[in-house]
Each structure stands twice: as C-alpha cells, then as structure tokens.
C-alpha cells in the first residue's frame, strides 16, 4: 500500500486528472486513504477495482468519499461471479468470465488485452477477467467526459458516470450492480 500511496500522490502532483487503480486488497490503510483523499482534494477522479473474491468491496475502492468503485459483468451483463459487491460499489463495467463462451467465439469470455502473461518477456494478446479489467473502462470514460468538458470536478464526473449507467438488477442503486452498467455514449451526453 505504501508504494501505491506514493504513486497516487505523485500522479496527483504531476497533472493527473484521472487515476485508474486496477488493484486492491482486503484491508484498510491510513496511508492509502490519505493518498486518495489528497488526490481527490486536488481534483483528481479516482477509479478503483472492487475486488475479485465475491465478497465485500476492497481497498482503495471502499473509500466511498474519494473513489469510484467498479465491479465486473460478463458478456450477458450478469454480475461476474467473482465480482465484489456491497454498499461501496458504485457501478459495473465489462470484466469478463473465462469460464463461459457466451459470445460463441470459441474463447472464454475474457477481456482481450495486449500485455504480458507470467513474465515480462511473454508479451502478447491475452484474455483476462476481473474487476481490474472493468475499471479501465470506467476510467477511460471519465477521461473522455473531462476532455469533452461535460464535467470539470470529480463529483461531476462521478455524477456523469452514475446517472447515465444502465440500471441492472434491482431497480435503482443496489449492492450487486451499484448504479448500473457503464454507458459511455450516455455519459458523453451528460450535461
């Protein structure tokens, strides 16, 4: 957490407008909380993965006052079975489920990305699943909303993403989908 906190502070001090935190853990940390609070106070929108153990939202995503917590959905827009949930969950985005092939392409329904697998020398395209795959979708839309001028503060960005999300599950905000599934086009139309 100390290294992550240092990275958050560095990003906030060096012009970041959005920070994607595709990481987390089960325990709170004063250093981590203070770092996201600091970044938020400097106008940074912080988006973090809720976690992948089908339990309570982890940290830093659970720091509700400062962070947009993102869970994961599968191809059919159902909650991914691993995705953490609870009162701290703000929204969901595509995170994949490698155990199914709902789109019929003969691959597990993960999120395809160019990265490394196992070691940095093993670079290529790989399917992964997780709230860490879902979070960059929300962070990217947050950056687009800011760049388009639809929102200028972190609270406005949060409102743009949450109020335009596609409601899933129980009507209104719920603990399994938050405010709903990220809708990039609707968020870019937010005024």
């Amino acid at each position: 957490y100390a290294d992550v906190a240092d990275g958050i502070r560095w990003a906030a001090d060096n012009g970041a407008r959005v920070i994607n935190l595709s990481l987390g853990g089960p325990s709170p940390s004063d250093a981590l909380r203070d770092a996201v609070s600091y970044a938020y106070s400097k106008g940074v929108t912080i988006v973090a993965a809720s976690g992948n153990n089908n339990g309570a939202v982890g940290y830093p995503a659970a720091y509700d006052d400062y962070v947009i917590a993102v869970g994961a959905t599968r191809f059919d827009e159902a909650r991914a079975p691993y995705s953490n949930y609870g009162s701290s969950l703000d929204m969901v985005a595509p995170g994949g489920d490698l155990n199914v092939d709902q789109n019929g392409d003969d691959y597990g329904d993960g999120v395809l990305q160019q990265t490394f697998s196992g070691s940095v020398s093993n670079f290529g395209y790989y399917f992964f699943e997780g709230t860490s795959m879902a979070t960059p979708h929300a962070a990217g839309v947050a950056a687009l909303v800011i760049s388009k001028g639809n929102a200028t503060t972190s609270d406005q960005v949060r409102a743009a993403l949450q109020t335009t999300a596609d409601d899933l599950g129980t009507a209104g905000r719920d603990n399994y989908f938050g405010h709903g599934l990220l809708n990039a086009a609707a968020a870019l139309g937010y005024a």
Side-chain angles (χ1 to χ4, degrees):
Y1 281 161
D3 290 341
V4 173
D6 287 347
I8 292 167
R9 286 179 179 277
W10 186 92
D13 287 340
N14 286 277
R17 299 287 309 275
V18 177
I19 296 175
N20 176 80
L21 295 171
S22 285
L23 52 80
S27 304
S29 156
D30 290 343
L32 191 57
R33 184 199 62 238
D34 292 347
V36 294
S37 172
Y38 175 77
Y40 176 83
S41 75
K42 294 191 69 128
V44 179
T45 298
I46 305 146
V47 187
S50 66
N52 302 320
N53 61 348
N54 191 29
V57 172
Y59 295 89
Y63 292 122
D64 300 334
D65 293 338
Y66 315 113
V67 180
I68 299 170
V70 182
T73 57
R74 306 179 337 161
F75 179 81
D76 64 359
E77 297 184 357
R79 183 178 76 88
Y82 53 80
S83 187
N84 287 9
Y85 58 90
S87 61
S88 291
L89 185 68
D90 293 302
M91 63 187 336
V92 293
D97 184 349
L98 291 170
N99 295 313
V100 297
D101 179 18
Q102 294 177 323
N103 65 357
D105 67 357
D106 295 326
Y107 295 98
D109 290 337
V111 176
L112 184 63
Q113 57 188 326
Q114 186 179 26
T115 187
F116 61 90
S117 180
S119 75
V120 294
S121 63
N122 195 18
F123 200 77
Y125 289 93
Y126 300 96
F127 287 102
F128 284 97
E129 68 178 12
T131 60
S132 289
M133 308 319 69
T135 301
H137 290 95
V141 173
L144 289 171
V145 166
I146 292 168
S147 71
K148 188 175 179 199
N150 297 46
T152 57
T153 69
S154 299
D155 290 338
Q156 290 171 348
V157 173
R158 178 189 293 268
L161 270 56
Q162 291 178 352
T163 62
T164 62
D166 295 335
D167 193 19
L168 298 176
T170 305
R173 197 222 159 268
D174 66 67
N175 287 340
Y176 293 100
F177 295 98
H179 291 276
L181 178 64
L182 176 71
N183 183 327
L188 287 172
Y190 176 82

